[in-house]
Amino acid sequence: MEITRQLAAELKLRLEQVERTVALLDEGNTIPFIARYRKEATGELDEVQLRSLAERLGYLRSLQSRREEVVRLIEAQGKLTPEISAAVEAAVTLQELEDLYRPFRPKRRTRASIAKEKGLEPLADLLLAQGRDDPRQLAEGFLTDDVPSIEDALQGAQDILAELFADDPRQRALLRKFTFDAGILAVERSDKEDAPEAEEFQMYFAYREPVAKIPPHRILAINRGERLGALKVKIEVDAERVHTLLCRQVITNGSSPAAPYLRAAIEDGYARLSAPSVEREIRNALTETAEKHAIQIFAKNLQNLLMQSPVRGRRVLGIDPGFRTGCKVAVVDEFGQLLECKAIYPHEPQGRWQEALRLLASLVSKHGVTLITIGNGTACRETEKLAAELVKEHCPAVQYLVVSEAGASVYSASELAREEFPELDVSMRGAVSIARRVQDPLAELVKIEPKSLGVGQYQHDVNQKELSDALDTVVESCVNHVGVNLNTASSALLRYVSGLSTKSAHEIVNHRTANGPFKRREELKKVKGIGPKTFEQAAGFLRIAEGTEPLDNTAVHPESYPLAREILAACGFSPDGLQSREALSQLRAKLRELDPERVASSLGAGVPTVRDIIASLSQPGRDPRDELPPPLFRADVLSMEDLSPGMVLKGTVQNVVDFGAFVDIGVKKAGLVHISQLSDEYVRHPTDVVQVGDIVTVRVLSVDPKLGRISLSMKIEKA
């Protein structure tokens, strides 16, 4: 109960909202299912809110579990006091909890533990009491064979105090905050003889920046340089200010003869124990924050990539470019089925340009191709010139499009690709992927590990499990938002549907292969491994376009079919009206006249559910991606030499990073629109202005062919 109350307070939600949502999560319901079909229970929390709640719930439960563990461990040592117990119970972060447990954590033999073994802990306590007695006289009472001199006794007592101060939770919290607020991250060139001379790290060979201000992408770049041995990194803090700060916490009687010994213990404890561990903690915290930020940017880019508008109803010729090994060509029909594949060799060393043109023209004519897609890898621009000449000389009605081929080779060598095209060469499978990914980006790109899709920043430098989890969440969200055709979807796509797993997705495909297309959603229950709970979670996100139940081609959940039929009847229609264009037009007019609140009241249903059913009945088979702008088609090609400052072009946003956006303007290299050039207004982050897949108008600022750099601007040019 306490956790739900805390969640309600933190997220500014009603307690009953949180309790019902937590119950739904604990029952094994997926977030897409809860967001779409349990709106009455959650008070219409959207998917983002639900994921935030679930993440925070997990953290608070981990905190509670660790809290109980810490109490148990301290109690086992016989050191649990009411004060410690209260402090543990009051801890609100795992870091705070670990600080409290730190003094009780089993340690290896330390200078302090050795001094305690010699019986010097009482002397340390006397010094800490800050009385008027001379510490040297006090030390005389602790001389033994193991402690032969006053200096040895006082040093041992200081060692005990140094560790005591370094482990004190309040001092650590104070020191951590001061180091973060006032520390300087100092970076310099590594002095290792075999250190790499990487150009990308040169700007950090003598670099300083306040810890509190360093941006996430810089943290990851510096971390990489340090990991590769090119950089040395440390946090610099004014030690005198730290000593003064800590002394204020410890020395309550500055006139006590013990004060100099306490100060010496503080300085030693800081230099030897606190500073290194606090620096590690802060750098770990900076890295964690930077990684989370990078993962968020990657996830946002991936979402926009997957949700690009599909190009429907066009036969596509895909080209995977190459020089020595030639270009692989694959033609697919409107539904992505492979029609024919060939290899052409237009580039050096073979140079069979005219032969390639004739073959391409033949394939275009034979299969009614209206769109050519070209992978953007090696030999892309040279192949683009081939396509432009083909369009100009032979096929004026055809357009072409350069697409990212990121991940095509990963797909080509995958088990899924081998299942789909066992007879094809690996490289030829890549051409099929390049052709298909413009027809339905989501359906094709889910076959590829998200990390291989080339829309991230420092993706190899972040926590790989957290990255994979975040990207899988994005794919799951996109797939369920769009919905999946149960009779055409691959197992790679089906496995992301709410409630389904890799195994159940394969079973669906196997059942479909053995028994033919599904006629009704209800038939899903016949599939091996699909029980009532799985069916409940998945059914609403699966579509059957040509089945016997018209409602199966909508987002209406089977559990709400009786309600949907009542709403249709109130409009004078049956579900069959959803399959007739003329009837659907009349039905939409009737549905627009309905008042969801009045309908919900009369039918004893929830208003959100009624509202969603009305929207779903108005647009059976709706794909939200169709409302987005189509990709930018081309019919001619530019080279970097064709560019000049001031030229205005249209381009496609290829990647968005912290410092700007990379835009494909149809030349070999994508141009960079720096964050300062994205808008005339202040831009907090590039994702506030542009998304992957956006078609934007840019102005060329500068071109450096030698370095292959193009600087662009999206600012309005002043007259």
Side-chain angles (χ1 to χ4, degrees):
M1 177 57 76
E2 284 305 312
I3 285 179
T4 54
R5 288 186 185 280
Q6 186 173 342
L7 283 169
E10 288 181 2
L11 303 175
K12 297 181 172 55
L13 300 172
R14 300 189 310 276
L15 179 60
E16 60 271 22
Q17 249 184 312
V18 174
E19 289 174 340
R20 288 196 293 264
T21 303
V22 170
L24 285 167
L25 290 167
D26 288 343
E27 288 165 10
N29 296 286
T30 69
I31 285 178
F33 175 80
I34 296 171
R36 184 68 179 80
Y37 297 112
R38 293 295 179 263
K39 291 181 178 178
E40 283 85 2
T42 68
E44 297 193 78
L45 295 181
D46 62 28
E47 200 171 319
V48 174
Q49 291 172 304
L50 287 169
R51 293 197 188 278
S52 296
L53 188 152
E55 183 179 347
R56 187 63 178 154
L57 173 66
Y59 181 89
L60 292 177
R61 283 179 169 172
S62 295
L63 179 66
Q64 182 58 33
S65 176
R66 181 59 178 160
R67 185 182 282 127
E68 292 167 2
E69 178 75 358
V70 165
V71 167
R72 184 186 67 77
L73 291 168
I74 298 176
E75 193 172 30
Q77 295 178 30
K79 298 178 180 179
L80 186 66
T81 65
E83 292 78 17
I84 292 172
S85 185
V88 168
E89 191 60 35
V92 295
T93 66
L94 284 168
Q95 179 69 71
E96 194 176 335
L97 198 55
E98 294 307 322
D99 281 352
L100 288 166
Y101 179 55
R102 188 181 179 89
F104 307 97
R105 187 185 299 279
K107 295 183 176 73
R108 289 177 296 180
R109 211 153 174 261
T110 64
R111 282 165 50 172
S113 65
I114 293 170
K116 287 177 182 179
E117 290 169 5
K118 294 177 179 179
L120 294 173
E121 194 165 13
L123 177 58
D125 292 338
L126 289 171
L127 294 178
L128 190 58
Q130 300 175 54
R132 295 186 178 182
D133 295 324
D134 182 350
R136 295 185 64 83
Q137 291 180 352
L138 293 173
E140 286 179 357
F142 293 90
L143 299 182
T144 65
D145 290 344
D146 291 331
V147 186
S149 70
I150 290 173
E151 285 71 21
D152 289 334
L154 289 172
Q155 182 60 57
Q158 286 176 220
D159 289 342
I160 293 170
L161 291 171
E163 187 171 281
L164 177 71
F165 300 151
D167 285 346
D168 183 82
R170 287 169 302 179
Q171 289 207 30
R172 287 189 72 81
L174 186 72
L175 185 56
R176 196 180 293 117
K177 184 178 186 309
F178 180 84
T179 305
F180 182 84
D181 291 342
I184 300 293
L185 192 74
V187 188
E188 62 184 51
R189 186 174 188 169
S190 171
D191 52 11
K192 292 181 181 178
E193 290 184 9
D194 58 347
E197 295 284 344
E199 280 190 22
E200 61 180 309
F201 303 120
Q202 281 187 358
M203 70 172 286
Y204 299 115
F205 282 172
Y207 189 83
R208 296 169 62 81
E209 186 166 7
V211 169
K213 293 184 178 180
I214 189 162
H217 67 275
R218 204 128 64 217
I219 288 289
L220 295 178
I222 289 169
N223 285 356
R224 182 194 291 173
E226 183 181 38
R227 190 169 59 251
L228 293 175
L231 302 175
K232 289 195 301 184
V233 188
K234 62 181 177 179
I235 294 178
E236 293 180 351
V237 181
D238 186 334
E240 280 303 313
R241 290 180 64 191
V242 172
H243 298 158
T244 302
L245 191 69
L246 296 178
C247 284
R248 286 196 200 118
Q249 303 295 310
V250 174
I251 301 175
T252 55
N253 180 8
S255 61
S256 168
Y261 296 93
L262 293 176
R263 183 176 179 91
I266 288 169
E267 293 178 4
D268 173 53
Y270 170 67
R272 185 166 52 86
L273 303 172
S274 301
S277 64
V278 166
E279 178 171 347
R280 280 195 303 273
E281 288 173 7
I282 288 177
R283 289 202 58 198
N284 286 341
L286 288 172
T287 298
E288 186 178 333
T289 300
E291 288 185 354
K292 283 183 177 178
H293 176 78
I295 289 170
Q296 286 171 356
I297 298 300
F298 197 147
K300 193 163 189 175
N301 286 344
L302 177 63
Q303 180 180 23
N304 291 313
L305 178 68
L306 295 177
M307 293 298 289
Q308 286 183 102
S309 177
V311 177
R312 302 187 191 281
R314 300 182 73 160
R315 294 195 165 196
V316 181
L317 184 150
I319 306 178
D320 187 357
F323 286 116
R324 185 180 57 80
T325 57
C327 302
K328 305 303 185 286
V329 179
V331 180
V332 298
D333 68 12
E334 297 87 341
F335 308 103
Q337 296 299 310
L338 179 63
L339 298 175
E340 190 173 352
C341 53
K342 295 283 185 182
I344 57 175
Y345 301 90
H347 312 308
E348 296 300 331
Q350 291 89 349
R352 288 145 62 179
W353 186 271
Q354 292 303 321
E355 178 187 306
L357 278 175
R358 286 193 298 273
L359 180 56
L360 290 177
S362 170
L363 290 172
V364 168
S365 175
K366 178 180 176 182
H367 297 294
V369 170
T370 59
L371 179 63
I372 297 171
T373 57
I374 304 166
N376 67 343
T378 304
C380 165
R381 294 310 166 191
E382 291 79 5
T383 306
E384 193 179 350
K385 290 177 182 176
L386 181 74
E389 186 172 332
L390 175 72
V391 170
K392 185 176 180 181
E393 300 294 335
H394 302 280
C395 318
V398 173
Q399 295 171 301
Y400 77 82
L401 176 68
V402 175
V403 300
S404 169
E405 65 176 39
S409 59
V410 175
Y411 161 75
S412 301
S414 69
E415 183 63 34
L416 180 62
R418 286 194 291 274
E419 288 175 11
E420 283 193 282
F421 305 108
E423 75 288 353
L424 288 189
D425 178 74
V426 170
S427 58
M428 198 61 77
R429 293 173 192 155
V432 178
S433 178
I434 287 167
R436 283 174 164 180
R437 58 180 59 188
V438 71
Q439 292 179 315
D440 190 338
L442 180 59
E444 192 61 25
L445 295 177
V446 293
K447 300 174 184 176
I448 300 162
E449 186 182 24
K451 288 185 289 187
S452 301
L453 291 175
V455 289
Q457 181 185 10
Y458 298 109
Q459 60 260 41
H460 302 296
D461 299 315
V462 304
N463 184 299
Q464 294 301 294
K465 184 182 183 307
E466 289 184 12
L467 177 63
S468 293
D469 290 347
L471 299 184
D472 281 347
T473 294
V474 169
V475 179
E476 177 192 50
S477 178
C478 291
V479 168
N480 289 287
H481 180 63
V482 171
V484 170
N485 187 318
L486 183 56
N487 285 324
T488 61
S490 66
S491 60
L493 187 59
L494 285 167
R495 76 183 180 92
Y496 286 105
V497 171
S498 166
L500 299 185
S501 63
T502 301
K503 185 176 179 181
S504 55
H506 277 295
E507 291 295 346
I508 289 172
V509 173
N510 292 340
H511 186 279
R512 195 171 68 198
T513 303
N515 300 282
F518 290 90
K519 298 291 192 298
R520 295 173 60 95
R521 279 171 170 165
E522 284 291 323
E523 293 176 11
L524 197 62
K525 294 177 180 177
K526 298 178 183 178
V527 176
K528 182 182 176 182
I530 305 289
K533 185 69 175 181
T534 301
F535 179 81
E536 176 196 55
Q537 299 295 303
F541 302 102
L542 298 168
R543 309 279 186 270
I544 300 176
E546 305 295 335
T548 57
E549 170 53 78
L551 290 172
D552 286 347
N553 196 33
T554 71
V556 177
H557 195 282
E559 67 187 10
S560 296
Y561 281 5
L563 181 58
R565 291 190 181 102
E566 287 188 79
I567 292 172
L568 285 168
C571 297
F573 287 85
S574 71
D576 291 339
L578 299 172
Q579 295 179 317
S580 164
R581 183 173 294 183
E582 184 179 336
L584 186 58
S585 178
Q586 296 171 2
L587 173 60
R588 284 180 179 145
K590 292 282 188 181
L591 289 170
R592 280 195 293 269
E593 296 173 4
L594 295 180
D595 180 348
E597 292 190 13
R598 192 171 297 172
V599 172
S601 177
S602 66
L603 297 178
V607 175
T609 296
V610 168
R611 193 188 305 126
D612 285 347
I613 289 174
I614 290 172
S616 296
L617 295 175
S618 298
Q619 295 179 300
R622 171 183 176 267
D623 187 331
R625 297 173 299 168
D626 289 338
E627 298 163 14
L628 301 170
L632 184 62
F633 300 119
R634 301 186 184 279
D636 203 356
V637 64
L638 290 171
S639 67
M640 194 175 283
E641 287 70 28
D642 296 324
L643 300 179
S644 59
M647 186 180 285
V648 176
L649 302 159
K650 278 198 176 296
T652 304
V653 177
Q654 204 175 67
N655 197 7
V656 182
V657 293
D658 286 338
F659 50 84
F662 290 96
V663 178
D664 180 2
I665 55 172
V667 298
K668 192 163 189 175
K669 289 274 189 178
L672 173 65
V673 183
H674 189 267
I675 187 171
S676 62
Q677 294 293 326
L678 282 169
S679 171
D680 292 294
E681 306 295 326
Y682 169 74
V683 177
R684 185 186 60 84
H685 192 274
T687 52
D688 295 336
V689 180
V690 290
Q691 316 289 345
V692 168
D694 282 357
I695 308 299
V696 295
T697 301
V698 294
R699 188 174 76 256
V700 178
L701 293 179
S702 64
V703 183
D704 188 336
K706 185 178 178 182
L707 294 176
R709 290 178 182 168
I710 305 165
S711 296
L712 305 171
S713 175
M714 287 171 54
K715 286 186 172 182
I716 298 171
E717 191 171 14
K718 301 292 189 292

